[in-house]
Amino acid sequence: MTLYAEVILPLPLAGTFTYEIPESLTGHIRPGQRVLVQFGRKKFYTAIVESLTPRKPDSYETKPLIMALDEDPILRHPQLRLWQWIADYYLCSVGEVMKAALPAALKVESETFIELSPDYDEIPIESLSEREAVILQILEHHGKRMSVAEIEKATGYTNVSLTAARMLERKILMVSEKLVERYVARRITYVAVNADRGDSDRLHAMFDSVSRARKQQTALLALLEMSAFMQNGTELKEVTLTDLLERTSLTRPIISELERKGIVRIYKKEISRFAPSGHTASPLPALSDAQQTALTALHSSWTEKDVTLLHGVTSSGKTEIYIHLIDHVIKQRRQVLYLVPEIALTTQLTDRLQRVFGSKVIVYHSKFSDNERVDLYRRILTSSEPAVIVGPRSAIFLPFADLGLVIVDEEHESSYKQQDPAPRYNGRDSSIMLAKMHGAKVLLGSATPAIDTYYKALSGRYGLVTLSERFGGVRLPEIKLIDTKAASRARLMNGALASETVSLIRRSLSEGAQSIIFLNRRGYAPVAQCRLCAWTPKCEHCDVSLTYHKRIDRLVCHYCGAVYPLPVTCPACREPAIEVHGYGTERMEDEIGSAFSDEKVLRMDLDTTRNKDGYQKIITEFSRGNAGILVGTQMVTKGLDFDRVRTVAIVNTDALVNQPDFRASERAFNMISQVAGRAGRRDTQGIVAIQTRTPEHPIFPFVISHDYRGFYENQIEERRAFFYPPFTRLIYIYIKHRDPRDLDELASLYAGRLRQLFGNRVFGPEEPVVARVQTFFIRKIMLKIEVSASMKKVKEILRATLEEMHASRVRAVKSAIVYYDVDPM
C-alpha cells in the first residue's frame, strides 16, 4: 500500500501538503522528521512531516518526497501541537510558525541544483533507464549543475524530480551545495597511541621504529605523557592534535608519518560548541522569612491552579525563590524553561544559576550563530536529562522532553510579543499553552504585572502570591518629580538634565555610588531640522523622521534601516542651516561624559549591543564598578541587578505617557517602576528623578507612592468602561499596498464586509501612527471580540471574507498584503 506524508512547508500558505512516500523511503518516514520536497517548478524546501496517511488527494497529482534529511524526527509531539495552536490562535499559517521555530541552519529554502556525483562513472550504463541515461548525458554535456526546471526543458520530460530522486538514492546524482544544510558540526581532531596499555613489546617496537627520527620520538613521548598512557590505574585522556602540536612545536606531517607507521591513530570527533560552565554546584541561597512564606504559598497554589502569579516588588528576591523552585523540579528529573524578556538578562542570571546548577544550565538566544543554535537544539532533543533552559521568547520552540516548570520573569514585558514577521505570538501566553501540553506548572513573576494578568489572578483564574517587602528590609526608592517646564523658565536645565538631577547624580558619585540615566531613544538626536524654514529630513520609504547618529555621521531610519548623509545645505531653502535637536542615548552619553569628565560613562542600547558579547561586556564592566554612569534605553529597565546604583534619572518621561494607545499608561507605569527599581537595591535607599513637563499627569501619584494596586484599580475601571482587554480580545487587521488609493478602496471594502458579519465590533479603517513603511502604505482595522469567542472560528471568517474578495476580482487584493495581530501589545 502506498503511503503519503502530510508535510508542513515554511511558507505563508494554509494547511499541509501531501507527498508520496517513495518505496525506498517506506518505513523510514515518521512525524516530526525533516524531508526535502519539491514545491512548484523550481523550488525545493525543507519540510516537516506532520502525519502519515494512506489517502491520496483528489484535487492534485502528488509529487514524491526527495529524501529524508534525518534518520530520526527533530520535533517531539508537543511541539507540533504547539505550532498548530499558535497558527490557530494568532491567525497565521503553521508554515510561518515553522519558519520562526526551527533554527535557520536546519532549513533549506533555495532553488535546487542537481549535479553528477563524483562516483557516477562507477554505475554500469546498462543499469540505467532511458530517462536516467538522458539526464546523465545532459549533465555530462553541460558539465555543470542544473536546476530541475532546466533539465525538464532540455529533455522535454515532465516530473523529472521522481527520476532524480531515484538517481540521488543510487549516488549517481548529488544535490548541489545550495541545498547542503548550513549546519556544520564542530569536529575536533584527536591523536591516540595505537597500542594497548601494558603491551610493553608493542611499546618497545614503536620506539625502535622512531629511534632515528628525533622529532617523531619527541611527538610520541609527549603523546604518552599527555594521555597518561603510562600511568596505570588512571583514566586515559584524549589529546587533540592542536594541543599536541602546540606542546611539541612540531608540524602536522610529523604526526601523519607516525600514523603511516601505525604508531598513532588520528580520528575526528563531533563535539558541542559549548564547553561546560566550570562551575561546581553551590548550596541553595538562603531565604528570608518572607521569601520562605512565598515559596510555601506557591507550592500550595499549584495544588489548585496550574498558573500562579508572583507579585513581588523590585529587589524582593524573586530570583532566589525561582532557584529553589528549579531545584525542586530538577530533583524530580524534569526540565525547567526560564523565560526572560531580553537577552541582556541572561548574562547576570546565567552566572547566578550556574553557581547552583552548573552544567545543567543551558542558554539559548538569537545572538548565537546558526551552528551554535543547532548544537543547543540537538542537545535538548537527544537528552531527557534534567536541565534549566534560559532564553527569550523563541526558547518556547525547543524540543523539551519532560517539562516540569515554566518561569516567565518580568511577565508584563512587551518584548515577549513578536511584532514582525509572523507568527506575531506572545511568548508568555504561548509558554502557558506549552506547559499545559507537558503537564507542567507556570510561574509568572513581576513587580508590575500586566493588567490582564493581575485581573486573571484576582478573578481566580490564576493563583496569586504577593511579596511586598524588599530583601533585607531595604526601603523602596524615593521618587522625585522634576518639572522641566518650570526648570526651563528658571534657566535650570543643563542640556537634557535639570540642575536638580545633575546634583543628585553628582552626590551619588561623590559617595562612591553609581547612577543610571534612562532615555528610551537611541541615536544622537531624534530630529534634524532647518532653523530657517523648519524643513525636516524624512525617510524616502517610510513616513518617519530620520534620527541622526553622530558616530557614523549619518541619518538613519529606525523602521527600515535606510541610511542617508546629513545635508550640508537645506534642500528646501538652499541655506546652510541644518541643526540637530533633541536627545538620544548617543548624545546623552557625550554630554554626560563632558559634565562628569572624571567618570567613565557606558551606554547600553541596540547600537552598542549588536554582537553576542556586547551585553556581557557592558554589564560586567558596570557591575564591577569600572564606570560610574550607565546611559541606556529600556534594556536597563529589565531586571538587572547592580549593587552600587544609588540614583536613577528618567529623561523625557512625557514620550512614555503620551502615546496614542490604550496601554500607554500601563506601559509607562511599568517602565518607570522597573527602572526605578534599579536604585538602592542593597543597604541604602535609592532616589529616582523623573523629569516631565506634565507633572499633573494622573499616573504620577501612583508612581510616587509605589501603589500598583491603586494604579490597577484606576486602569481596570477605565478598560471596563470602554470595553478593552481583559474584557475583550483585540485583533488588529493590517492591510499594506504600494498605491494609497487602491489601499483605501480595499480597506473600506474589507471593513464594510466585516461589519456585515461582526457588527459594531469593527472599528476603522484608519491610518496607524506610522502610515508608510518600506514604500508600503498601511491601514488598520480593529476588531473587538468577546473573550469567549472561538479564535479558530474568527480566523475562518476572516479568511473566507478575504477569499470572497479575491473571487469577486477586487483589483487591489492581488497586490495587497493582509495580516493579523492578535492581542497586540
Side-chain angles (χ1 to χ4, degrees):
M1 179 180 68
T2 303
L3 273 178
Y4 299 88
E6 295 291 336
V7 306
I8 301 167
L9 286 167
L11 298 170
L13 301 171
T16 57
F17 296 85
T18 310
Y19 283 80
E20 181 181 334
I21 300 176
E23 191 177 336
S24 60
L25 293 177
T26 301
H28 299 286
I29 301 298
R30 286 178 284 165
Q33 205 165 353
R34 286 189 313 154
V35 291
L36 191 66
V37 300
Q38 183 186 8
F39 188 77
R41 288 181 55 81
K42 297 182 178 181
K43 295 285 185 179
F44 276 46
Y45 290 94
T46 296
I48 294 292
V49 178
E50 191 239 18
S51 61
L52 305 181
T53 177
R55 292 186 58 187
K56 182 179 180 180
D58 300 326
S59 54
Y60 59 89
E61 191 66 32
T62 58
K63 294 177 181 176
L65 298 179
I66 300 302
M67 66 170 66
L69 294 174
D70 306 285
E71 290 185 10
D72 299 304
I74 65 159
L75 296 183
R76 299 183 190 271
H77 180 63
Q79 284 176 280
L80 283 170
R81 288 175 59 204
L82 180 67
W83 286 14
Q84 193 60 61
W85 180 84
I86 288 175
D88 288 341
Y89 186 83
Y90 292 102
L91 306 182
C92 63
S93 72
V94 70
E96 289 171 309
V97 181
M98 172 191 168
K99 196 165 185 176
L102 287 184
L106 290 180
K107 295 178 294 224
V108 180
E109 298 178 21
S110 57
E111 186 174 353
T112 305
F113 289 84
I114 291 171
E115 57 187 323
L116 295 171
S117 167
D119 302 322
Y120 81 94
D121 53 356
E122 297 178 8
I123 305 296
I125 193 72
E126 59 269 16
S127 68
L128 301 177
S129 68
E130 180 182 345
R131 286 169 67 98
E132 290 172 340
V134 171
I135 291 172
L136 187 66
Q137 186 179 8
I138 290 290
L139 286 168
E140 281 182 325
H141 175 72
H142 280 78
K144 63 180 180 68
R145 62 189 184 186
M146 297 176 69
S147 69
V148 171
E150 288 172 337
I151 295 173
E152 288 180 345
K153 185 176 180 181
T155 60
Y157 295 146
T158 58
N159 205 8
V160 163
S161 60
L162 183 58
T163 308
R166 290 196 296 265
M167 297 175 77
L168 282 164
E169 286 287 329
R170 296 169 62 192
K171 311 296 186 189
I172 304 169
L173 303 181
M174 59 184 283
V175 178
S176 75
E177 270 190 72
K178 281 196 175 181
L179 267 180
V180 173
E181 285 187 26
R182 284 170 285 179
Y183 172 67
V184 179
R186 187 184 181 197
R187 300 174 71 84
I188 299 293
T189 303
Y190 290 89
V191 185
V193 179
N194 197 16
D196 295 327
R197 263 183 170 176
D199 189 346
S200 55
D201 292 339
R202 169 67 177 152
L203 207 56
H204 283 301
M206 289 193 299
F207 273 107
D208 287 344
S209 67
V210 297
S211 59
R212 297 186 180 181
R214 194 173 62 187
K215 290 183 178 179
Q216 293 177 29
Q217 198 175 71
T218 300
L220 179 56
L221 284 168
L223 180 59
L224 289 169
E225 181 186 346
M226 294 171 72
S227 63
F229 188 86
M230 306 299 291
Q231 300 171 26
N232 290 327
T234 62
E235 189 178 347
L236 274 174
K237 298 176 183 176
E238 286 191 298
V239 179
T240 68
L241 177 62
T242 303
D243 288 346
L244 180 61
L245 295 179
E246 189 176 314
R247 170 80 170 268
T248 59
S249 300
L250 298 174
T251 58
R252 172 68 188 258
I254 304 296
I255 313 302
S256 297
E257 183 60 23
L258 289 175
E259 183 186 35
R260 189 189 67 77
K261 291 180 177 180
I263 295 172
V264 304
R265 58 188 177 87
I266 300 174
Y267 62 98
K268 291 191 175 182
K269 193 172 174 183
E270 186 175 315
I271 66 166
S272 170
R273 288 176 165 81
F274 297 91
S277 65
H279 289 283
T280 55
S282 300
L284 295 175
L287 298 182
S288 67
D289 291 343
Q291 288 173 318
Q292 186 61 54
T293 300
L295 180 63
T296 303
L298 286 169
H299 284 297
S300 176
S301 173
W302 279 325
T303 62
E304 298 179 5
K305 312 285 184 186
D306 289 332
V307 182
T308 296
L309 169 66
L310 176 59
H311 179 204
V313 298
T314 56
S315 196
S316 57
K318 292 187 290 294
T319 305
E320 284 78 10
I321 295 175
Y322 298 162
I323 290 173
H324 278 260
L325 292 170
I326 291 167
D327 180 66
H328 177 73
V329 174
I330 284 182
K331 283 177 178 173
Q332 296 174 338
R333 302 202 60 77
R334 302 188 75 187
Q335 296 167 323
V336 179
L337 172 60
Y338 193 140
L339 288 182
V340 292
E342 287 280 358
I343 297 168
L345 284 183
T346 62
T347 301
Q348 285 189 326
L349 179 62
T350 302
D351 287 342
R352 295 178 72 177
L353 293 176
Q354 284 179 337
R355 282 197 291 271
V356 179
F357 303 109
S359 59
K360 290 185 177 69
V361 179
I362 300 173
V363 183
Y364 182 88
H365 57 64
S366 60
K367 292 288 182 180
F368 288 135
S369 69
D370 286 345
N371 285 330
E372 287 172 331
R373 270 179 280 170
V374 173
D375 273 357
L376 287 171
Y377 187 95
R378 289 190 185 280
R379 175 182 170 184
I380 296 167
L381 176 68
T382 56
S383 172
S384 57
E385 287 297 306
V388 51
I389 294 93
V390 183
R393 60 175 182 260
S394 59
I396 67 168
F397 295 118
L398 289 170
F400 303 102
D402 186 12
L403 203 56
L405 174 65
V406 174
I407 297 171
V408 185
D409 198 17
E410 311 294 350
E411 65 82 28
H412 64 276
E413 278 289 347
S414 59
S415 303
Y416 284 122
K417 182 74 158 79
Q418 163 78 7
Q419 301 298 338
D420 279 305
R424 295 170 180 84
Y425 68 100
N426 188 309
R428 175 197 63 201
D429 299 342
S430 300
S431 72
I432 292 173
M433 183 55 61
L434 172 70
K436 184 178 180 181
M437 292 172 177
H438 281 269
K441 302 300 182 183
V442 180
L443 177 61
L444 307 176
S446 177
T448 55
I451 298 291
D452 307 49
T453 302
Y454 202 66
Y455 175 80
K456 290 173 184 175
L458 291 181
S459 61
R461 185 171 170 186
Y462 295 166
L464 175 62
V465 175
T466 302
L467 194 57
S468 56
E469 65 179 57
R470 281 186 149 190
F471 185 79
V474 177
R475 288 180 295 168
L476 288 165
E478 177 189 356
I479 309 290
K480 280 186 174 290
L481 210 58
I482 298 174
D483 186 345
T484 52
K485 189 190 293 184
S488 294
R489 286 197 300 265
R491 298 186 178 180
L492 294 176
M493 292 295 294
N494 299 305
L497 297 182
S499 297
E500 187 177 356
T501 305
V502 173
S503 297
L504 291 171
I505 294 171
R506 201 176 297 282
R507 188 174 74 187
S508 289
L509 294 172
S510 68
E511 294 172 357
Q514 295 171 302
S515 297
I516 291 177
I517 298 173
F518 168 63
L519 174 60
N520 204 28
R521 183 184 286 275
R522 64 188 176 97
Y524 186 80
V527 179
Q529 192 175 59
C530 176
R531 71 171 182 272
L532 299 177
C533 71
W535 173 85
T536 300
K538 291 191 174 182
C539 179
E540 295 175 1
H541 315 293
C542 311
D543 281 345
V544 291
S545 299
L546 300 171
T547 301
Y548 177 63
H549 287 247
K550 186 179 179 183
R551 295 289 188 275
I552 59 174
D553 192 28
R554 289 289 184 272
L555 296 166
V556 178
C557 174
H558 286 178
Y559 276 79
C560 71
V563 179
Y564 304 84
L566 181 69
V568 177
T569 58
C570 173
C573 67
R574 306 293 179 187
E575 292 295 327
I578 299 293
E579 296 177 337
V580 292
H581 300 286
Y583 281 83
T585 48
E586 191 179 347
R587 185 174 188 179
M588 181 64 71
E589 179 190 23
D590 279 358
E591 292 206 358
I592 291 295
S594 300
F596 299 91
S597 55
D598 295 335
E599 291 291 338
K600 183 173 182 179
V601 180
L602 296 174
R603 173 164 59 98
M604 183 189 286
D605 57 24
L606 186 64
D607 299 314
T608 60
T609 57
R610 289 190 184 277
N611 64 56
K612 182 172 66 177
D613 300 320
Y615 296 105
Q616 177 78 45
K617 185 177 177 183
I618 295 168
I619 290 171
T620 302
E621 197 164 357
F622 194 64
S623 296
R624 290 175 177 171
N626 296 338
I629 301 173
L630 174 64
V631 176
T633 57
Q634 60 182 340
M635 290 179 183
V636 303
T637 71
K638 300 179 182 179
L640 295 172
D641 187 11
F642 300 117
D643 293 354
R644 301 179 180 89
V645 173
R646 180 83 51 79
T647 301
V648 168
I650 303 176
V651 183
N652 196 16
T653 313
D654 305 300
L656 299 176
V657 299
N658 294 321
Q659 294 289 325
D661 188 291
F662 78 96
R663 294 190 194 273
S665 291
E666 177 187 3
R667 200 174 291 126
F669 180 89
N670 290 349
M671 199 169 287
I672 293 168
S673 299
Q674 290 290 332
V675 72
R678 302 314 106 205
R681 294 175 68 87
R682 291 299 180 267
D683 302 323
T684 307
Q685 184 184 24
I687 189 163
V688 180
I690 300 178
Q691 296 192 168
T692 176
R693 296 178 65 85
T694 56
E696 68 280 1
H697 194 285
I699 191 179
F700 291 126
F702 299 113
V703 171
I704 291 170
S705 58
H706 303 284
D707 183 9
Y708 172 81
R709 185 61 181 263
F711 172 74
Y712 165 81
E713 297 291 354
N714 174 274
Q715 287 294 297
I716 205 72
E717 288 309 312
E718 189 175 296
R719 295 195 187 185
R720 195 192 310 270
F722 293 100
F723 202 46
Y724 272 111
F727 304 104
T728 186
R729 178 173 285 139
L730 292 187
I731 302 174
Y732 290 166
I733 303 169
Y734 289 97
I735 308 172
K736 293 184 175 182
H737 203 288
R738 295 190 188 277
D739 187 318
R741 288 167 298 184
D742 284 351
L743 175 61
D744 285 332
E745 178 188 344
L746 175 60
S748 297
L749 183 59
Y750 195 15
R753 296 196 180 184
L754 290 177
R755 278 194 184 89
Q756 295 171 7
L757 298 164
F758 294 103
N760 60 5
R761 300 177 183 87
V762 181
F763 300 82
E766 63 180 18
E767 289 188 1
V769 176
V770 178
R772 185 173 65 110
V773 175
Q774 294 181 331
T775 72
F776 279 93
F777 295 88
I778 308 168
R779 297 294 179 267
K780 182 176 82 172
I781 300 169
M782 181 172 71
L783 279 181
K784 284 186 177 180
I785 302 294
E786 290 82 352
V787 174
S788 58
S790 163
M791 290 302 293
K792 195 168 185 179
K793 184 66 176 174
V794 171
K795 179 180 180 179
E796 289 169 0
I797 293 172
L798 291 172
R799 177 175 288 131
T801 305
L802 201 58
E803 287 174 354
E804 177 193 331
M805 293 169 66
H806 275 284
S808 60
R809 301 186 183 278
V810 176
R811 183 173 57 88
V813 175
K814 258 190 168 182
S815 47
I817 299 171
V818 180
Y819 63 90
Y820 310 95
D821 188 4
V822 179
D823 300 338
M825 295 290 284

